[in-house]
Amino acid sequence: MQTTHNAKLGIGIPLRRGFFDTDVNKGFGWDKVWNYHNITTLTAVANMSKSTNTTIQGTSVILKTWAGKMECSAFSCRVTEQIELRLVAVTSNPGTYSYTAANPKRLVTVSTGATNQSWGVQTAYCVLASGVRCPNWVTFSLTNPGIPNPKRAASSTTDRTPASAAPAQPQAAPQELIEAPADDVQVDEYAVFSYEPLPDEVDESLVQQAQDDGVPLSEID
């Protein structure tokens, strides 16, 4: 689907189409990230793949990102909510991924690409107290830093799952929705992301710079 260069690690991180079996919640790659964890654009995954907050565990790398909402006044912005995200990338490649399917019960083996290439993104998800699906606003934060949602009524706070989060059809990759505003970001909220936990308050000028440059807050000098 794409390969993102991580400057800190000095490696390319591929994102493969992969698959996701809803009967047994097994899979990897884009289909798992999109269908199971509700991260719904390639740009969002790419921005997570560029994280400078990395932990190496054997042949796997965990890359951390924080998505957040802010309310801004004339000079400062208050963080109202933030969620930690983790992307797991595998730098080796076993060549195949096997699991036990349920209907009918059988062993299924799926290719993970050439063994001389990195397997890449195994999964990406929100660290939540309950559930496995990121709120809709998380993808918006990862792709639209510093931008409020102009289509969101200020009085509405319901988190609705968009039609784009329906299971992907096997014959085509899900449509990328880079510019689509999340329907659960309020009109007076600003979306941001960072490779470090967000502080309680942020200078408004940094949020504006994140918007101008399309970068995470943690990368602004």
Side-chain angles (χ1 to χ4, degrees):
M1 304 292 295
Q2 66 183 17
T3 298
T4 303
H5 179 72
N6 185 289
K8 179 181 178 180
L9 298 172
I11 61 172
I13 300 178
L15 172 65
R16 301 179 186 278
R17 172 66 192 266
F19 78 99
F20 184 67
D21 187 328
T22 57
D23 291 327
V24 291
N25 292 339
K26 295 290 185 180
F28 68 87
W30 175 235
D31 273 12
K32 181 176 182 181
V33 170
W34 192 70
N35 287 307
Y36 195 48
H37 295 299
N38 198 36
I39 299 172
T40 57
T41 74
L42 298 178
T43 299
V45 178
N47 285 339
M48 295 175 67
S49 298
K50 295 174 185 176
S51 177
T52 55
N53 191 326
T54 63
T55 302
I56 298 175
Q57 295 183 346
T59 59
S60 295
V61 181
I62 299 174
L63 301 101
K64 294 183 180 181
T65 303
W66 281 261
K69 295 180 183 180
M70 292 182 173
E71 293 178 353
C72 294
S73 61
F75 301 105
S76 65
C77 297
R78 180 176 61 90
V79 177
T80 58
E81 185 175 0
Q82 65 176 306
I83 291 177
E84 178 185 339
L85 296 104
R86 296 179 185 176
L87 182 145
V88 181
V90 182
T91 56
S92 64
N93 195 334
T96 58
Y97 174 97
S98 298
Y99 77 104
T100 302
N103 295 312
K105 188 173 182 179
R106 66 200 187 282
L107 182 67
V108 176
T109 300
V110 180
S111 172
T112 59
T115 56
N116 63 343
Q117 300 173 348
S118 169
W119 185 2
V121 177
Q122 191 174 42
T123 189
Y125 59 93
C126 288
V127 180
L128 303 170
S130 61
V132 297
R133 293 178 64 80
C134 294
N136 297 336
W137 63 266
V138 167
T139 292
F140 185 80
S141 294
L142 291 168
T143 56
N144 299 273
I147 298 177
N149 185 339
K151 297 184 179 181
R152 171 68 174 173
S155 60
S156 176
T157 57
T158 303
D159 182 6
R160 300 183 300 277
T161 301
S164 61
Q169 297 300 315
Q171 67 272 22
Q175 181 181 6
E176 187 174 8
L177 304 175
I178 294 176
E179 300 301 331
D183 56 5
D184 51 358
V185 177
Q186 295 190 49
V187 70
D188 58 346
E189 289 178 329
Y190 290 76
V192 292
F193 74 100
S194 172
Y195 297 144
E196 298 293 338
L198 294 165
D200 293 336
E201 290 191 1
V202 177
D203 190 284
E204 191 274 338
S205 64
L206 297 180
V207 177
Q208 182 61 53
Q209 188 172 345
Q211 175 182 340
D212 294 341
D213 299 340
V215 297
L217 286 176
S218 56
E219 300 302 289
I220 298 175
D221 295 329

